[in-house]
Amino acid sequence: MEMIMRNPASGVYPASPDYIHALEIRHPSRLLFVSGTMGLDQEGMAAADLEAQLELIWSNLRAILASADMTVDNIVRLTSYLSDGAFMEANQNARLRALVGRAVPTTAIIVETLRDDWLVEIEIIAAG
């Protein structure tokens, strides 16, 4: 599988170091669509604060990816649902740590979550 970043030099605003406009995937043999994943522990309880929820989310995503013999290197699209716009920077930093700085097409949306204690939810698409 080949991944090609697509950041046109003209006709669209410039991408930032942690953001790309598009990612072309050539010759994938598998796609994995992961439901929105919350910062819940194995008993289904939400962690107490944003940082702990982000840690759990990425731990949960790694476990889901591993079940498909994939890693975070296979993530090709990510959408974050934040219950507060103030969470943007912490979410971005957690994503950059988890992906070791690798940029993928990403969107962050401010939403009302299904439960008040769910601060952030992340869904991904992975390819292999």
Side-chain angles (χ1 to χ4, degrees), residues 1-4 6 23-28 76:
M1 177 179 78
E2 183 180 8
M3 294 186 204
I4 304 166
R6 298 294 182 186
L23 183 65
E24 180 179 347
I25 308 299
R26 292 185 179 179
H27 313 293
V76 297

Side-chain angles (χ1 to χ4, degrees), residues 102-123:
R102 185 172 66 89
V104 298
T106 183
T107 300
I109 303 168
I110 308 306
V111 299
E112 181 178 346
T113 54
L114 295 175
R115 289 184 33 181
D116 290 341
D117 57 343
W118 295 354
L119 304 178
V120 59
E121 185 173 339
I122 295 177
E123 69 179 12

Side-chain angles (χ1 to χ4, degrees), residues 2-74:
E2 183 180 8
M3 294 186 204
I4 304 166
M5 292 177 34
R6 298 294 182 186
N7 286 318
S10 64
V12 65
Y13 55 89
S16 61
D18 70 322
Y19 175 85
I20 61 175
H21 288 293
L23 183 65
E24 180 179 347
I25 308 299
R26 292 185 179 179
H27 313 293
S29 59
R30 304 180 300 138
L31 294 174
L32 180 69
F33 296 85
V34 180
S35 294
T37 303
M38 287 78 66
L40 308 178
D41 63 20
Q42 291 187 26
E43 287 75 43
M45 300 300 297
D49 62 28
L50 178 63
E51 289 297 330
Q53 285 194 23
L54 286 165
E55 283 184 36
L56 276 172
I57 285 172
W58 283 101
S59 175
N60 293 338
L61 288 171
R62 284 185 196 92
I64 294 165
L65 288 162
S67 75
D69 295 321
M70 293 184 176
T71 70
V72 294
D73 292 337
N74 294 97

